[in-house]
Amino acid sequence: MSDYLLLAGVALCLISVVAAVVQLLQTQAPRGAVITLILGIVLIFAGAFTSPEPFQPQTILGAWDRVSGAAQPQQ
């Protein structure tokens, strides 16, 4: 479950950056981007709270491998 929360949080944070750039180019206040960023950060913290081990930068790639099924089975 923490893998899904982590990946969803990272995805929302990346989407918020793109949304902020688009809204600023349209000379609008980036309110939607800020809300998306806050939701992404909340999901990342929720993933960290539910994970038994601490997060590291490699955790994101490992979570992607586990969710996508690309992880090699341990022998």
Side-chain angles (χ1 to χ4, degrees):
M1 182 67 175
S2 65
D3 291 341
Y4 292 112
L5 291 172
L6 175 64
L7 291 176
V10 170
L12 282 176
C13 289
L14 292 175
I15 290 170
S16 73
V17 171
V18 173
V21 169
V22 169
Q23 289 175 341
L24 288 174
L25 287 175
Q26 295 176 348
T27 63
Q28 297 176 354
R31 292 182 188 104
V34 170
I35 292 170
T36 307
L37 179 67
I38 291 171
L39 287 174
I41 291 170
V42 167
L43 286 177
I44 290 172
F45 277 113
F49 182 74
T50 59
S51 178
E53 55 200 37
F55 278 168
Q56 299 174 350
Q58 298 86 6
T59 305
I60 296 172
L61 296 175
W64 177 257
D65 288 341
R66 288 188 294 276
V67 169
S68 67
Q72 299 293 328
Q74 296 189 6
Q75 298 178 10

